[in-house]
């Protein structure tokens, strides 16, 4: 029986010897555990729904850019990546009432600028996204950490390695605090 109680304790479950003596206390402990688990599940569901909404918004945004560039719709119009980016930025500005989605789009467009070697433009857009996410979520949110990592990536491409390292360290500290040491993103 002692071995079972030790195993139960290590697994975060109530110890049977104590449960028999302290049934009310054990019931309250179990209820508190269930409440914490319910709260964690609700938070996870909220995060998943938020991520899905942003993903759908990004998809819609990108589809809108390419549909507006359809050669059958606008005959003779040859569209470059830079044209698409300019159109995309104009659409991003229309999302001012949706800061989470606007930040997501700024990061996406910033990464495209980065891939084209336009690091100053990329940095500016991702810094705007960072400001939006900090205002929306606060300083210690995983979305802020992701944006800091995007900025670190731009700094690395620009050859500003100390800045890149500092930004990556900030992102890691936020992720550790928000997600815990064992999370895959850490």
């Amino acid at each position: 029986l002692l071995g079972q109680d030790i195993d139960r304790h290590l697994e975060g479950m109530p110890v049977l010897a104590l449960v028999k003596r302290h049934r009310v206390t054990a019931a309250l402990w179990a209820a508190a555990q269930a409440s914490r688990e319910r709260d964690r599940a609700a938070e996870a569901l909220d995060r998943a729904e938020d991520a899905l909404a942003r993903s759908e918004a990004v998809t819609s945004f990108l589809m809108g850019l390419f549909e507006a560039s359809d050669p059958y719709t606008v005959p003779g119009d040859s569209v470059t990546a830079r044209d698409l980016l300019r159109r995309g930025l104009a659409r991003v500005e229309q999302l001012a009432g949706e800061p989470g989605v606007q930040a997501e789009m700024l990061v996406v467009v910033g990464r495209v600028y980065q891939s084209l070697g336009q690091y100053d433009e990329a940095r500016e857009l991702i810094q705007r996204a960072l400001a939006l996410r900090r205002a929306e979520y606060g300083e210690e949110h995983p979305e802020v950490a992701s944006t800091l990592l995007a900025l670190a990536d731009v700094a690395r491409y620009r050859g500003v390695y100390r800045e890149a390292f500092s930004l990556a360290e900030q992102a890691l500290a936020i992720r550790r605090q928000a997600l815990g040491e064992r999370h895959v993103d850490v």
Side-chain angles (χ1 to χ4, degrees):
L1 188 61
L2 177 61
Q4 289 176 341
D5 275 350
I6 290 171
D7 289 341
R8 291 179 64 80
H9 174 71
L10 292 174
E11 293 176 14
M13 298 173 65
V15 176
L16 295 176
L18 293 175
V19 170
K20 290 176 184 174
R21 279 188 236 139
H22 305 285
R23 290 193 187 278
V24 172
T25 304
L28 291 173
W29 180 86
Q33 281 289 101
S35 178
R36 284 191 292 275
E37 291 299 320
R38 183 196 67 233
D39 292 346
R40 278 192 219 124
E43 287 174 16
L45 180 60
D46 287 345
R47 285 192 305 271
E49 287 173 346
D50 184 47
L52 178 61
R54 283 185 288 124
S55 175
E56 289 171 347
V58 169
T59 301
S60 173
F61 172 81
L62 293 173
M63 290 301 298
L65 282 182
F66 287 100
E67 287 169 356
S69 305
D70 185 350
Y72 296 109
T73 307
V74 186
D77 187 17
S78 79
V79 178
T80 67
R82 286 179 176 78
D83 292 333
L84 287 174
L85 288 171
R86 278 191 291 278
R87 289 179 189 172
L89 282 176
R91 293 190 71 183
V92 166
E93 299 306 329
Q94 297 170 357
L95 296 169
E98 301 177 64
V101 175
Q102 188 178 36
E104 189 79 19
M105 301 308 172
L106 286 167
V107 171
V108 168
V109 175
R111 286 185 178 271
V112 174
Y113 271 113
Q114 176 184 322
S115 72
L116 294 173
Q118 296 182 334
Y119 305 125
D120 291 337
E121 291 87 346
R123 183 174 187 244
E124 179 184 326
L125 294 172
I126 296 171
Q127 283 177 329
R128 282 182 58 198
L130 179 61
L132 286 169
R133 285 182 169 161
R134 282 179 167 156
E136 181 80 6
Y137 303 116
E139 290 290 326
E140 303 295 321
H141 194 277
E143 291 293 332
V144 171
S146 295
T147 312
L148 286 167
L149 284 176
L151 270 178
D153 203 31
V154 172
R156 183 175 57 88
Y157 274 92
R158 290 175 41 235
V160 188
Y161 301 113
R162 285 185 188 201
E163 179 183 336
F165 186 76
S166 174
L167 291 164
E169 277 187 318
Q170 290 174 50
L172 179 59
I174 292 170
R175 284 186 171 175
R176 279 185 172 142
Q177 177 67 31
L179 304 172
E181 284 293 328
R182 303 184 92 197
H183 194 277
V184 68
D185 287 344
V186 173

